[in-house]
Amino acid sequence: MTAKTLRVTTPTPTDIVLTRVFNAPRHLVFDTLTKPELLRRWFGARGWRLVECEVELRVGGSWRFVSVGPDGLRMGQGGVYREIQAPDRLVYTESYDDQWVPGESLVTTVLTERAGLTTLQTTLRYSSPEVRDLVLATPMERGVGESYDRLDEVLASR
């Protein structure tokens, strides 16, 4: 797998796995996932911007993002950190305001570094195959791809 290519797989009936390689050391990629000043620079598809970004990076701590997109559309989401192993692993819950995606999902992100390249692999575990399929039917793959392109730009500037 090469940098700039988002791979989306569905290894189980309730999981979506997103994998992308970045040309940056793992600790920098971890920082971009956990520091509000960096998250504000890349999080969201093109045309979206993070207007609220709260991160309480500790086990049991919460996070909350609100993004504004085209035509002023707002999307809020948040959750609780369950596991933090900097710079290797983050596990947290995620739920959306207004039930954009029903229920709560569990997000596990693993970062592995090799020869200066970091592979970011995120597993999204949903409550049912129906919820997973609902998410797959949205423009999520395009949005995540564009968001990761923006992340790539932030990493290149550091």
Side-chain angles (χ1 to χ4, degrees):
M1 182 169 183
T2 61
K4 300 192 186 257
T5 302
L6 174 65
R7 185 175 60 193
V8 178
T9 58
T10 52
T12 75
T14 57
D15 290 1
I16 299 172
V17 177
L18 309 168
T19 306
R20 168 84 187 256
V21 177
F22 293 94
N23 185 13
R26 178 173 53 185
H27 73 275
L28 285 182
V29 178
F30 186 87
D31 285 352
T32 64
L33 300 174
T34 58
K35 293 187 174 182
E37 65 274 16
L38 296 172
L39 281 158
R40 284 186 188 94
R41 292 177 55 195
W42 71 268
F43 188 87
R46 300 239 181 247
W48 288 80
R49 67 191 194 329
L50 208 48
V51 295
E52 288 180 36
C53 182
E54 300 166 13
V55 174
E56 187 184 355
L57 191 63
R58 64 174 182 78
V59 173
S62 63
W63 65 277
R64 171 122 176 103
F65 299 165
V66 176
S67 300
V68 174
D71 303 321
L73 185 64
R74 293 176 69 88
M75 182 171 58
Q77 65 201 95
V80 175
Y81 290 103
R82 292 205 176 156
E83 187 180 334
I84 301 165
Q85 296 176 9
D88 307 311
R89 183 176 165 91
L90 277 175
V91 180
Y92 54 89
T93 60
E94 178 179 66
S95 59
Y96 287 83
D97 298 358
D98 303 322
Q99 293 300 306
W100 181 79
V101 173
E104 183 177 82
S105 59
L106 184 65
V107 180
T108 302
T109 297
V110 176
L111 300 168
T112 53
E113 183 178 346
R114 184 172 177 191
L117 298 175
T118 298
T119 300
L120 181 151
Q121 184 174 69
T122 299
T123 301
L124 307 163
R125 177 159 292 153
Y126 296 97
S127 58
S128 70
E130 294 77 19
V131 173
R132 185 205 68 177
D133 292 347
L134 176 70
V135 172
L136 287 170
T138 71
M140 179 269 303
E141 183 173 349
R142 178 188 55 80
V144 171
E146 290 176 1
S147 191
Y148 283 176
D149 289 346
R150 293 174 65 193
L151 172 54
D152 212 29
E153 294 165 10
V154 170
L155 290 165
S157 72
R158 294 186 54 86

